[in-house]
Amino acid sequence: MAGDDRTTPKSTFHPAFGVNNIKNSIPLTLNQTDDRYASWVELFHIHLCAYDVLDHIDPKTPTPTDIDKATWNRLDAIVKQWILATISPDLKASSYGKLPNSKLSSTAGQLLSDSTADRSLAGAMPNLF
């Protein structure tokens, strides 16, 4: 109608909301003893980039300006779920699994930003806290 000031509400659907099972994209389980760290990091980084949520773990990636705070917080929780779903029970039982979102994101960012392919997680964990 002419003169109608009503606007369609902006959709807050984000591609990350459509991920039903992170294990389909990241079939590895990260643990403290095996050598799949580099593969886990690579798969996780690809997934975060593909679903436009890299800013949740990488402080160098700018936060999108077109996402409201509630949506960003929901996405942050989803990223935390993805991390916790792809790490072993021994890591979940460690202090890593009990970190608040902000510290978890920072710690995950440290894990994901390390480009040393042969770095073992067991050696990396003490440096994260």
Side-chain angles (χ1 to χ4, degrees):
M1 282 196 303
D4 191 351
D5 289 335
R6 289 183 282 176
T7 59
T8 304
K10 184 176 164 183
S11 173
T12 56
F13 181 79
H14 189 279
F17 296 156
V19 177
N20 291 323
N21 185 353
I22 190 67
K23 294 290 200 169
N24 289 336
S25 297
I26 305 173
L28 303 175
T29 299
L30 184 63
N31 66 49
Q32 293 186 21
T33 58
D34 70 27
D35 59 353
R36 295 188 280 177
Y37 173 78
S39 297
W40 180 86
V41 168
E42 182 68 17
L43 288 171
F44 215 92
H45 189 266
I46 289 168
H47 191 77
L48 293 171
C49 289
Y51 286 91
D52 198 23
V53 289
L54 189 59
D55 62 298
H56 292 266
I57 60 113
D58 182 3
K60 296 177 192 166
T61 301
T63 301
T65 57
D66 62 338
I67 295 178
D68 61 71
K69 181 77 171 156
T71 302
W72 193 93
N73 287 337
R74 184 174 175 201
L75 290 169
D76 201 51
I78 288 170
V79 171
K80 183 176 182 180
Q81 286 176 330
W82 291 347
I83 293 168
L84 293 174
T86 59
I87 64 174
S88 66
D90 59 329
L91 285 177
K92 287 177 193 162
S94 73
S95 56
Y96 183 77
K98 297 177 178 126
L99 294 172
N101 274 10
S102 59
K103 182 66 175 168
L104 177 69
S105 296
S106 171
T107 302
Q110 290 171 356
L111 279 171
L112 293 170
S113 68
D114 186 358
S115 61
T116 306
D118 62 348
R119 178 180 174 201
S120 73
L121 183 61
M125 290 305 284
N127 300 322
L128 297 177
F129 307 105

